[in-house]
Amino acid sequence: MCEQEFPSILAKKVSLFQQVLVVQALRPDRLQSAMALFACKTLGLKELSPLPLNLKRLYKETLEIEPILIIISPGADPSQELQELANAERSGECYHQVAMGQGQADLAVQMLKECARNGDWLCLKNLHLVVSWLPVLEKELNTLQPKDTFRLWLTAEVHPNFTPILLQSSLKITYESPPGLKKNLMRTYESWTPEQISKKDNIHRAHALFSFAWFHAACQERRNYIPQGWTKFYEFSLSDLRAGYNVIDRLFDGTKDIQWEFVHGLLENAIYGGRIDNYFDLRVLQSYLKQFFNSSAIDVLNQRNKKSLFPFSLSLPKSCSILDYRAIIEKLPEDDKPIFFGLPANIARSSQRMISSQVISQLRILGRSVTAGCKFDREIWSNELSPVLNLWKKLNQNSNLIHQKVSPPNDRQGSPILSFIVLEQFNAIRLVQSVHQSLAALSKVIRGTTLLSSEVQKLASALLNQKCPLTWQSKWEGPEDPLQYLRGLVARALAIQSWVERAEKQALLSDTLDLSELFHPDTFLNALRQETARAMSCSVDSLKFVASWKGRLQEAKLQIKISGLLLEGCSFDGNRLSENQHDSPSVSSVLPCFMGWIPQGAYGPYSPEESISLPVYTSAERDRVVTNIDVPCGSNQDQWIQCGAALFLKNQ
């Protein structure tokens, strides 16, 4: 925790914010903590997260004429808590709710009038789905004369077109689930009644429910580690929890043999898995299902002599009382340990880097002049856009890319690899020249030598918003940040020249290659596949892709030697994967390997039992897959699936 142990002799000389900059330069894996500490010290706060929301206190402190608008984040739903509060404070019959959507408007107005007349509570859910109807609601509210026990609760996700008058007349609160596996399990066990756990007095059933609650919490809390936990934010919510509970409930309906495949199938294909659209994320889910839903998971009698399914050798109570399960949850630590999710011990280093870089890009957007993109202001444009224009000038100083003449490649019936590389070079130079033209036009407008056109306006507006212009992205999907995009573009355009020279001398396949130098590495591997199929006189579909760290591939007619791959989630010495320790670097480089296409029936360098298929992404953001390769891992494939191991190309 270097940010908390800043040498006192230096702390006197530098400001609090300069301390943050030192951490950014030397220890980017602690930058998020350093930012949080800076914010707390500067604002004089103990911690940044607010106190948990107390609906009961809200009810006591508000009046009947003031609607309470609860702004929810995706996956959070306060209606269960409202129902419980209504049961506690009034009788349950006094609480009514309407989920807004098509055709619910008339019902909502009718309920509003009735509840106001009788002094009941009404909750209108998901107002963000009916933004155009909200003025009608405002009118109705103005004419109401409710009893003093009436309360109107409204829930909505953030929406840009929400009516401001309703916002001003409501008390606004945000409802977010507090983070952490322990809090998540507590929420689940508070939403379940004692009868739901003790039903049928079946200990196996109670254990299966605990397994399910842990599984639900692991799926939700794993989202704090995007893109290594999940590659994106999946909206696992309370409705999944309810549906899953029903599945487990039906599982124990009288049958002797418990059909775990039934649980696996429903949770994987419908309830939780139905939200997942990435094959490698689905693999994590399948691995969790295998771990938490099987007969040994709930077998109480033989637990003594067997490793516990849960971390900390948590042993489950031999009872069906909800209090015993809550007591076990209470014993868990407040802070999540990566082992809860099967993630590597050094995951915090990766997630701090990711989160702090997101914070920085949001700060950049906040820091720009608000009016920058709307209308032309020479001074603002000149100040804000000069970094982009200066960088472009600097990148092209010693190269001839801007003036290079290239003719469109002709359809030589030669090698697919050569055709690909010549086309890649042609497109690279065309893209450099089109970017140059657009930036030159922008520069002229700023200098006042030409008039502003709509193209230049669009370009400037994107750049002022720190976004990459669509006209560039349509030609090559590179980084979102314009400066990174320009650096990547020029680096690749220069590197591709040497690929062309080597390919024309037929020396390409004997050299060590770096796929990150290409704009379309996946297309290059496909060209290698076509060329291999021609050389072996077989169909393209009859080949499979393999990689080897044991030396050259025996079965491959053509192969390439690849370097520059990076690995996240575990370490690899060329023989087998190994676990990361808490002080391991978040990303490590992988030894060069041979890659090629071999016949489907042939044996690859590693047997399926001792290897695991890992994705190779274009970047650490894990948004585009180049290919998958089998990497030797010893045994226990689930460990490597859950730790979120993945390869990616190095950043150009």
Side-chain angles (χ1 to χ4, degrees), residues 230-525:
W230 301 113
T231 55
K232 58 166 81 155
F233 189 95
Y234 294 114
E235 293 190 7
F236 304 123
S237 67
L238 207 61
S239 54
D240 293 316
L241 185 72
R242 290 203 194 103
Y245 173 86
N246 293 336
V247 171
I248 304 282
D249 194 33
R250 285 183 48 192
L251 193 63
F252 288 89
D253 263 357
T255 47
K256 271 279 179 278
D257 295 330
I258 297 166
Q259 297 171 313
W260 292 111
E261 296 76 30
F262 162 75
V263 179
H264 292 192
L266 280 174
L267 294 185
E268 179 191 321
N269 298 310
I271 304 173
Y272 288 81
R275 301 180 186 279
I276 294 178
D277 56 9
N278 173 305
Y279 165 73
F280 296 98
D281 286 342
L282 197 59
R283 228 172 36 164
V284 172
L285 189 81
Q286 290 162 343
S287 164
Y288 276 166
L289 290 170
K290 232 164 56 187
Q291 178 183 343
F292 292 120
F293 302 105
N294 59 60
S295 9
S296 63
I298 62 160
D299 191 355
V300 213
L301 309 170
N302 306 331
Q303 262 186 352
R304 285 246 152 76
N305 42 19
K306 216 172 55 239
K307 194 170 141 274
S308 167
L309 170 75
F310 305 102
F312 300 121
S313 310
L314 199 70
S315 59
L316 297 186
K318 297 183 178 175
S319 84
C320 297
S321 154
I322 195 166
L323 299 173
D324 294 343
Y325 291 92
R326 284 184 186 161
I328 282 219
I329 297 168
E330 279 296 349
K331 287 184 193 152
L332 289 170
E334 288 297 327
D335 294 334
D336 285 347
K337 303 279 181 276
I339 189 173
F340 286 178
F341 314 107
L343 289 165
N346 69 342
I347 182 84
R349 300 184 73 166
S350 313
S351 70
Q352 288 234 10
R353 277 169 189 261
M354 275 308 197
I355 293 169
S356 52
S357 68
Q358 285 165 3
V359 172
I360 291 170
S361 59
Q362 286 164 341
L363 283 174
R364 280 205 186 114
I365 292 173
L366 286 174
R368 63 166 201 262
S369 314
V370 179
T371 53
C374 317
K375 56 184 187 301
F376 176 53
D377 179 319
R378 180 163 292 126
E379 198 178 329
I380 290 180
W381 281 33
S382 175
N383 288 341
E384 302 252 337
L385 297 174
S386 61
V388 180
L389 298 171
N390 292 342
L391 174 72
W392 184 245
K393 206 159 146 188
K394 201 167 121 195
L395 289 172
N396 288 292
Q397 246 162 15
N398 304 321
S399 79
N400 162 32
L401 293 170
I402 296 169
H403 309 295
Q404 200 169 331
K405 292 272 183 285
V406 280
S407 47
N410 57 0
D411 253 359
R412 287 175 292 195
Q413 289 307 311
S415 120
I417 291 180
L418 188 59
S419 307
F420 162 77
I421 288 165
V422 171
L423 184 64
E424 189 86 332
Q425 180 198 28
F426 173 72
N427 287 333
I429 288 167
R430 270 213 350 214
L431 178 54
V432 168
Q433 292 174 356
S434 103
V435 166
H436 180 68
Q437 280 167 351
S438 62
L439 289 176
L442 176 62
S443 172
K444 281 178 186 162
V445 169
I446 292 174
R447 290 203 310 270
T449 53
T450 57
L451 291 170
L452 177 64
S453 66
S454 65
E455 275 75 39
V456 173
Q457 171 77 46
K458 273 185 199 155
L459 174 78
S461 162
L463 294 175
L464 289 165
N465 284 318
Q466 311 276 341
K467 287 206 171 83
C468 202
L470 287 173
T471 46
W472 299 359
Q473 286 282 10
S474 64
K475 298 188 176 76
W476 170 54
E477 279 184 57
E480 249 315 305
D481 175 68
L483 300 177
Q484 296 282 11
Y485 186 95
L486 296 177
R487 285 194 189 102
L489 167 61
V490 174
R492 286 175 174 80
L494 292 171
I496 199 78
Q497 314 279 30
S498 85
W499 282 65
V500 173
E501 287 157 21
R502 286 181 290 176
E504 282 171 346
K505 290 185 203 145
Q506 256 116 35
L508 192 67
L509 297 187
S510 53
D511 245 355
T512 302
L513 304 173
D514 181 347
L515 293 177
S516 68
E517 296 176 345
L518 296 173
F519 291 93
H520 304 100
D522 45 346
T523 317
F524 169 68
L525 295 178

